[in-house]
């Protein structure tokens, strides 16, 4: 269970980061072109301003004829941490719930309603290899009931005399 959760979490982290970001680090420290217009730092010099493709290859932002550096995006970072926290919390809750249910079932503390119980009880199923045991169990179960029935009939007849 936990073994499948870790790769799923890794895949989730990779999907959340953008294609141009640098993997997991892009998830924990996302960069953005958003921000205050006045705080922009030039990127790539005059060549990048004249050539928007060069600006984008340098992983800078290009808007309104200006090439500028990306900035850390705190809003996106908070959203990513929130998603990571809820994902880890959900996995932890699921693992704990499974462990508690398994423990309660082993201690015979779990009494499920009829519609949640399985159709077949494992303790009543018989494998194909134990045919002899089944037939001997049937013979044993038949003989004590016959003996009890005869004994009670004899006791009833003896009381009448």
């Amino acid at each position: 269970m936990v073994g499948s959760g870790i790769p799923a979490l890794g895949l989730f982290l990779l999907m959340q980061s953008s294609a141009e970001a640098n993997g997991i680090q892009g998830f924990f420290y996302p960069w953005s072109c958003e921000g205050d217009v006045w705080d922009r730092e030039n990127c790539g010099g005059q060549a990048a301003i004249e050539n928007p493709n060069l600006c984008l290859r340098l992983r800078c932002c290009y808007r309104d004829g200006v090439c500028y550096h990306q900035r850390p995006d705190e809003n996106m970072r908070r959203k990513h941490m929130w998603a990571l926290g809820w994902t880890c919390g959900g996995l932890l809750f699921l693992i704990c719930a499974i462990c508690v249910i398994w423990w309660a079932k082993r201690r015979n503390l779990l009494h499920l309603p009829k519609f949640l119980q399985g159709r077949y009880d494992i303790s009543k199923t018989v494998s194909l290899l134990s045919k002899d045991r089944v037939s001997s169990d049937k013979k044993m179960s038949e003989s004590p009931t016959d003996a009890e029935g005869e004994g009670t009939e004899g006791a009833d007849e003896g009381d009448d005399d």
Side-chain angles (χ1 to χ4, degrees):
M1 177 75 181
V2 176
S4 64
I6 293 171
L9 182 62
L11 181 63
F12 173 73
L13 292 175
L14 288 174
M15 286 173 47
Q16 289 297 318
S17 61
S18 65
E20 294 181 30
N22 41 4
I24 300 286
Q25 187 178 2
F27 179 83
F28 290 106
Y29 299 103
W31 292 84
S32 171
C33 293
E34 302 300 320
D36 193 9
V37 176
W38 308 110
D39 284 341
R40 295 179 180 170
E41 291 181 33
N42 288 338
C43 178
Q46 188 63 31
I49 292 173
E50 293 172 0
N51 187 357
N53 288 333
L54 176 62
C55 180
L56 296 176
R57 274 188 266 145
L58 292 171
R59 291 191 180 180
C60 297
C61 303
Y62 186 83
R63 187 176 298 157
D64 300 329
V66 178
C67 183
Y68 57 95
H69 284 287
Q70 294 182 1
R71 300 181 49 157
D73 190 352
E74 284 299 316
N75 289 332
M76 189 61 72
R77 185 173 186 271
R78 258 187 253 117
K79 287 178 183 177
H80 286 181
M81 291 302 117
W82 182 83
L84 180 65
W86 278 101
T87 302
C88 291
L91 283 171
L92 185 64
F93 176 76
L94 183 65
I95 290 168
C96 289
I98 289 170
C99 289
V100 166
I101 290 171
W102 175 79
W103 174 82
K105 195 168 186 177
R106 296 266 304 174
R107 302 266 182 187
N108 203 15
L109 297 173
L110 187 65
H111 302 289
L112 295 174
K114 291 276 187 192
F115 68 91
L116 289 177
Q117 292 177 354
R119 284 187 152 176
Y120 304 105
D121 187 8
I122 294 174
S123 63
K124 294 180 182 177
T125 60
V126 179
S127 70
L128 296 174
L129 300 175
S130 61
K131 288 182 182 178
D132 296 332
R133 194 176 119 216
V134 173
S135 61
S136 64
D137 288 344
K138 286 182 181 177
K139 289 177 186 175
M140 290 176 68
S141 64
E142 290 174 1
S143 56
T145 56
D146 292 341
E148 289 175 10
E150 291 172 1
T152 55
E153 289 174 10
D156 291 338
E157 291 173 7
D159 289 336
D160 292 336
D161 290 349

